[in-house]
Amino acid sequence: AMAEEGTADNKESLQVVSPVVVTATRAAQRSFDLPVAIDVVTKENIQDGQAQMTLSESLIRVPGITAQNRTQMAQDPQISSRGFGARSAFGVRGVRVYVDGIPLTFPDGSGQPGIVDLNMVQGIEVMRGPFSSLYGNSSGGVVQLLTENAPATPEVSAGVMFGSYDTRRENLRAAGNADGLEYIINYSNYSSDGYRQHSRNTKEQGTAKFRFNLNEDTKLTTLINWFDQEADDPLGLSRDEVRANRKQATPSAFASDTRVSRSHTQVGFNLEHKINENNTLNIISHVGNRKNLQYLALPRTAPINANGRASEIDREFWGTDIRWDNKGEFLARPYNFSLGATYGKMRDDRLDINADNGRQRLRSQAWSLNRNEQNIATNSDQYAQLKWSALDNLDLHVGARRTKVTLEVDDNFVTGQGANGDNSGRVSYQKTTPVFGAVWKANPALNFYANYGKGFETPTFVEAAYSTTAANSTPNLQLKPSESRNFEIGTKAIIGNNTTANLTLFKTLTDDEIVVDDTVSGRSSYTNAGKTKRHGAELSAETRFANNISLFGSYTYLNAQFDSTYTNTLNTTVNSGNWIPGTYKTQIYGEVAWKHQASGFSTAFEARHNSKVYVNDVNTDTAGSYTIFNIRAGLQQKLQNWRFSEYVRVENIFDKDYIGSIRVNDGNARFYEPAAGRNWLMGLNATYIF
């Protein structure tokens, strides 16, 4: 990040400032001085000229991160870090997500980042590499959203956005500070017909943040998140269907009326208490409920005689994290130390029932019920982390986390329906993941670092749901966790007084990688591959010139391959050397921006390139490479107590036809989700400051 300071005569003086981050060490540290690949996405890149509906809008600029916009809202965006999470069919896997330290990732490792209104987010910290494992199971990377703090003066604001495909969003907000209580309350309502057929969606969302200053040493923050969502699912297309009409939905999407209804309510608490100058105590807890009703396609086959399925999950979850932070000196050299413990639990009441034309069948009807069970997951972790400045120019970082994850299935569907049997079961996974790192400060403008750590990723309940894609499949509690060894070296440099550059080289070796075995009609099964390997490079640079002109660019190279041959349950052989599907070998993002301070005008031109990507383990097909260009512009005015802003964004300005995301290993060869052609957004906002 760069800060720009204007002189009294309005001549710009440029100064490079490293962003302060909290995710890497759980304490405020300059990112420049950490042996960690971590980037910050600022508020203007989250909100200006963006729909503010999915994380993929903001994360595409971060090296090492793949964030694909699926051009439909029935599924969460596909987010992966150095290839971890690329297999995800539902939600986010392999990457842990937090908001203000409160987890949005459940105990089984699945994440749901859609509950946070991006209009409330001040910044996003994105960490990759070995130190991510200090956040526990399924930590191929960590994404932490940090919400805004309340302004000192009360204010109210309202905004509206319009866009292609009858897209519309309204939001209302109130924020301020009264008698030691800081508050921000935000409500938004979004709707769109979507780019493709059968992709209409709506989402109502509310967020409230209250910060109580109990005394000068104790603060309590309460964060409340809520949303209701309805979204149609156009499903994936085959290559021939894309060529014929890229906007169409799969025929079975209409026949089965594939769609999702979601609701989510979560309350989180963060208590910070300063014991003395050297010791603080932090207690984070959260509790919530999530309901998800998904209608999936299913070909009509006897004796089921249904053309769809309804998968219903009613989830209750809660968790807590207690951490002690200590700072002082050891051998006359400063250190920071953290020691913590966390516990989490989720309980899903899960029902799977056949559907006719998008409507659930009565349970009393023959061949109606497929599954009726409780899925219970718990995690119990302990962790420690230490930073010690061994020399003036050498910092050492060490840490470890002990993780225990338990998955339990309590089957209530044990009779009838062809003697289904009792499919109850329980499995536990345990692992200690150590990390080591060091940063050498060659001079105030040049740092070198190296680190190593182990990683641990357990199956989620979605991945353990089915042993096969057959209708009568049993839970797959035989899946093994994947274990990885992660190596990383890098350098961070400040060049002159206006440029920053970061370069990271990494290598990851994984055993028992969890991969998609088969996907048919919305039902996915998973298996363990043998060995996989990833290596690559991440580069980012930003330069700020006079006259408020800036350049930013990021480059990612990722070589992700199977490192041993294995045969899946379909008797398909996947050869060593095949590329891991869903991983892009090359990703490039570039941006040139300009601001005119006097008029309040700003604009930016963006370019994005992704290489081709394989869609299945056997590497028989790909989605082609693409390069697209976007442009955004905004205007701000101040008039007494009023503050106004307007913006416009045009995406894919040259109307490029490309595949925005893929469905890995789809058994019907419907791998492709086409991205939107040229489309636009326009927004207006007004704020009154009391």
Side-chain angles (χ1 to χ4, degrees):
M2 297 186 181
E4 191 169 281
E5 299 178 354
T7 58
D9 60 359
N10 203 35
K11 293 180 179 179
E12 297 88 2
S13 62
L14 305 177
Q15 181 182 0
V16 174
V17 178
S18 174
V20 174
V21 296
V22 298
T23 304
T25 60
R26 295 181 171 85
Q29 302 275 338
R30 281 205 328 155
S31 66
F32 184 76
D33 294 327
L34 294 171
V36 175
I38 187 168
D39 287 79
V40 177
V41 183
T42 61
K43 178 180 177 180
E44 66 176 354
N45 291 315
I46 299 168
Q47 299 181 4
D48 291 358
Q50 301 283 14
Q52 301 171 44
M53 291 308 299
T54 69
L55 275 177
S56 59
E57 301 166 4
S58 309
L59 298 186
I60 58 173
R61 62 191 295 117
V62 179
I65 297 292
T66 298
Q68 298 299 93
N69 186 347
R70 308 188 71 168
T71 324
Q72 50 104 342
M73 301 286 285
Q75 312 293 348
D76 285 302
Q78 293 178 324
I79 299 173
S80 62
S81 174
R82 297 180 179 175
F84 288 101
R87 70 180 183 274
S88 175
F90 302 94
V92 176
R93 309 285 186 270
V95 179
R96 296 194 72 88
V97 187
Y98 293 81
V99 54
D100 294 340
I102 300 166
L104 304 182
T105 297
F106 298 109
D108 69 340
S110 61
Q112 307 289 346
I115 73 168
V116 178
D117 194 330
L118 294 176
N119 191 51
M120 286 274 292
V121 176
Q122 176 71 30
I124 304 173
E125 296 182 6
V126 186
M127 182 168 67
R128 292 91 64 203
F131 275 81
S132 301
S133 67
L134 292 179
Y135 279 82
N137 166 45
S138 302
S139 294
V142 178
V143 176
Q144 175 142 227
L145 298 91
L146 302 172
T147 59
E148 294 183 43
N149 291 321
T153 304
E155 62 183 42
V156 294
S157 61
V160 63
M161 179 195 74
F162 305 93
S164 300
Y165 323 118
D166 201 22
T167 298
R168 183 183 177 98
R169 182 178 188 267
E170 303 95 9
N171 69 278
L172 297 171
R173 171 170 157 160
N177 196 320
D179 299 325
L181 170 64
E182 303 171 23
Y183 62 90
I184 305 179
I185 302 172
N186 193 83
Y187 167 81
S188 66
N189 186 17
Y190 174 90
S191 64
S192 176
D193 288 343
Y195 168 66
R196 294 173 58 196
Q197 298 173 353
H198 197 68
S199 58
R200 180 176 174 80
N201 57 86
T202 62
K203 186 176 184 180
E204 278 190 279
Q205 194 161 19
T207 304
K209 179 180 178 180
F210 303 99
R211 185 179 176 94
F212 303 88
N213 298 306
L214 302 180
N215 56 54
E216 62 180 17
D217 294 324
T218 308
K219 296 178 175 61
L220 175 64
T221 301
T222 302
L223 186 65
I224 304 170
N225 302 99
W226 158 83
F227 78 75
D228 273 318
Q229 183 177 20
E230 304 277 344
D232 292 337
D233 189 348
L235 303 179
L237 298 177
S238 69
R239 182 174 292 278
D240 288 341
E241 288 170 333
V242 172
R243 288 171 178 166
N245 179 7
R246 58 189 302 106
K247 292 185 178 181
Q248 69 174 306
T250 303
S252 56
F254 295 107
S256 301
D257 195 11
T258 50
R259 65 194 189 274
V260 68
S261 299
R262 298 190 185 104
S263 64
H264 187 119
T265 303
Q266 178 170 321
V267 182
F269 304 93
N270 190 335
L271 178 66
E272 304 168 87
H273 176 63
K274 182 179 179 181
I275 301 172
N276 54 42
E277 288 298 320
N278 294 326
N279 295 277
T280 59
L281 183 66
N282 187 225
I283 302 175
I284 295 174
S285 62
H286 68 282
V287 62
N289 173 264
R290 183 181 181 91
K291 295 182 179 180
N292 195 97
L293 174 58
Q294 191 118 20
Y295 284 86
L296 304 167
L298 185 69
R300 185 182 297 274
T301 55
I304 296 176
N305 196 32
N307 66 356
R309 290 169 41 239
S311 178
E312 185 174 3
I313 295 176
D314 189 347
R315 173 175 299 169
E316 295 180 352
F317 59 92
W318 66 274
T320 188
D321 187 331
I322 301 175
R323 188 181 76 245
W324 166 56
D325 297 312
N326 170 256
K327 63 181 180 179
E329 290 190 351
F330 175 70
L331 299 179
R333 304 297 307 172
Y335 72 83
N336 293 84
F337 176 71
S338 295
L339 181 67
T342 181
Y343 179 83
K345 184 173 184 177
M346 57 180 268
R347 178 189 175 97
D348 291 354
D349 290 326
R350 181 185 179 121
L351 185 70
D352 191 304
I353 191 168
N354 288 322
D356 294 315
N357 303 313
R359 295 187 177 184
Q360 291 187 44
R361 308 185 82 197
L362 297 175
R363 295 194 200 185
S364 59
Q365 290 178 300
W367 304 102
S368 291
L369 197 60
N370 299 313
R371 182 164 286 192
N372 181 10
E373 64 191 33
Q374 283 78 45
N375 296 160
I376 303 168
T378 60
N379 76 281
S380 178
D381 298 20
Q382 304 82 40
Y383 61 89
Q385 188 170 358
L386 171 69
K387 171 198 169 185
W388 182 48
S389 299
L391 302 171
D392 287 340
N393 63 350
L394 178 66
D395 290 345
L396 302 178
H397 293 252
V398 297
R401 186 167 183 129
R402 177 66 175 175
T403 298
K404 180 179 180 180
V405 176
T406 300
L407 304 182
E408 180 180 351
V409 175
D410 291 340
D411 189 7
N412 298 322
F413 183 44
V414 296
T415 60
Q417 308 278 333
N420 182 68
D422 189 349
N423 293 312
S424 300
R426 177 188 176 99
V427 62
S428 292
Y429 312 97
Q430 299 184 63
K431 186 71 176 178
T432 298
T433 52
V435 295
F436 309 90
V439 57
W440 172 47
K441 304 172 184 178
N443 61 56
L446 180 63
N447 287 349
F448 296 93
Y449 66 90
N451 53 59
Y452 165 79
K454 291 187 175 182
F456 177 60
E457 184 175 359
T458 67
T460 66
F461 261 125
V462 166
E463 293 160 355
Y466 303 105
S467 299
T468 71
T469 54
N472 60 349
S473 175
T474 59
N476 188 7
L477 298 181
Q478 290 72 45
L479 269 178
K480 294 184 289 186
S482 63
E483 300 182 10
S484 60
R485 292 166 288 151
N486 304 278
F487 307 84
E488 186 178 71
I489 60 173
T491 182
K492 303 180 182 183
I494 300 173
I495 304 168
N497 66 347
N498 66 339
T499 300
T500 60
N502 300 312
L503 172 64
T504 305
L505 306 177
F506 62 88
K507 183 174 184 178
T508 299
L509 303 174
T510 304
D511 294 327
D512 297 319
E513 178 105 18
I514 300 171
V515 297
V516 178
D517 201 27
D518 190 23
T519 296
V520 177
S521 303
R523 182 187 283 118
S524 296
S525 62
Y526 295 79
T527 190
N528 292 106
K531 297 179 181 296
T532 61
K533 61 181 179 181
R534 299 173 174 87
H535 67 266
E538 299 164 359
L539 173 66
S540 64
E542 185 173 9
T543 299
R544 194 173 291 264
F545 300 100
N547 301 313
N548 293 315
I549 298 174
S550 63
L551 294 176
F552 173 80
S554 64
Y555 168 82
T556 303
Y557 171 80
L558 173 63
N559 186 317
Q561 295 177 292
F562 294 99
D563 202 26
S564 64
T565 298
Y566 83 97
T567 301
N568 63 21
T569 57
L570 302 177
N571 290 320
T572 299
T573 298
V574 178
N575 293 316
S576 176
N578 280 14
W579 293 86
I580 298 175
T583 61
Y584 296 81
K585 188 173 183 179
T586 302
Q587 295 183 105
I588 302 172
Y589 178 86
E591 176 184 293
V592 55
W594 175 60
K595 292 182 180 180
H596 187 255
Q597 299 280 32
S599 65
F601 176 76
S602 63
T603 187
F605 183 76
E606 309 166 2
R608 181 159 64 98
H609 170 79
N610 278 34
S611 64
K612 72 177 183 181
V613 60
Y614 286 97
V615 299
N616 53 11
D617 291 346
V618 293
N619 288 182
T620 56
D621 210 345
T622 63
S625 63
Y626 63 88
T627 303
I628 61 169
F629 300 91
N630 314 313
I631 192 169
R632 67 179 191 265
L635 195 62
Q636 295 183 354
Q637 308 91 37
K638 293 182 180 179
L639 181 63
Q640 296 181 341
N641 288 14
W642 287 95
R643 185 171 66 241
F644 300 96
S645 65
E646 305 83 31
Y647 65 85
V648 63
R649 177 181 182 86
V650 181
E651 190 145 332
N652 193 3
I653 58 178
F654 297 114
D655 203 22
K656 172 74 173 178
D657 288 343
Y658 70 101
I659 301 301
S661 62
I662 64 167
R663 298 190 176 213
V664 172
N665 284 352
D666 188 87
N668 295 313
R670 288 193 166 106
F671 304 112
Y672 307 103
E673 294 183 326
R678 184 187 302 113
N679 61 95
W680 59 272
L681 294 172
M682 180 180 69
L684 309 169
N685 290 279
T687 301
Y688 183 80
I689 304 171
F690 292 91

